[in-house]
Amino acid sequence: MKRFLKLAATLALVAVVLWIVGDPRAIAKLFAQMDARYVLVAAAVATIDRVLMTFKWGLLLRAKGMTLPLWRGTRIYCASMIWGMFLPSPVGADAIRALLTHRA
């Protein structure tokens, strides 16, 4: 149920942003014109990039004697990227990543 509520809230926020940014019909038309294959390739490349960045970050943690599973680290890395959009750029995402890693 918690996961459903998170998904519903996310979809509602995306809908609000799309409504504020532009005409929903024009945005829907753009989405309809996109080739799904290219969208999937772009999503796959972005996901692979985040997993590789998390892996490198995990190597740095291991050098300091800490272990963090790749899946948990990827979730932390992606969450810190989102927070980094709203926090000052030099330290925002890194500070969140350090905090969430400490909690884990």
Side-chain angles (χ1 to χ4, degrees):
M1 183 67 172
K2 185 178 177 182
R3 187 172 291 195
F4 173 76
L5 290 175
K6 285 182 179 181
L7 180 62
T10 300
L11 291 175
L13 288 172
V14 167
V16 168
V17 168
L18 290 177
W19 190 268
I20 291 171
V21 168
D23 179 24
R25 289 185 194 121
I27 294 170
K29 184 178 176 183
L30 287 173
F31 277 112
Q33 293 173 349
M34 286 193 294
D35 187 351
R37 293 174 294 182
Y38 293 124
V39 174
L40 290 174
V41 168
V45 168
T47 302
I48 291 168
D49 174 63
R50 292 300 98 194
V51 171
L52 288 174
M53 293 298 290
T54 304
F55 177 74
K56 292 190 317 185
W57 176 49
L59 291 176
L60 291 172
L61 289 174
R62 262 184 241 125
K64 290 292 183 179
M66 297 178 254
T67 59
L68 187 66
L70 184 63
W71 173 245
R72 177 76 175 138
T74 303
R75 290 178 60 198
I76 290 171
Y77 204 96
C78 291
S80 69
M81 286 175 33
I82 301 294
W83 281 104
M85 290 183 210
F86 303 102
L87 297 172
S89 64
V91 295
D94 292 333
I96 295 295
R97 199 173 305 125
L99 174 71
L100 293 176
T101 303
H102 177 72
R103 286 185 182 174

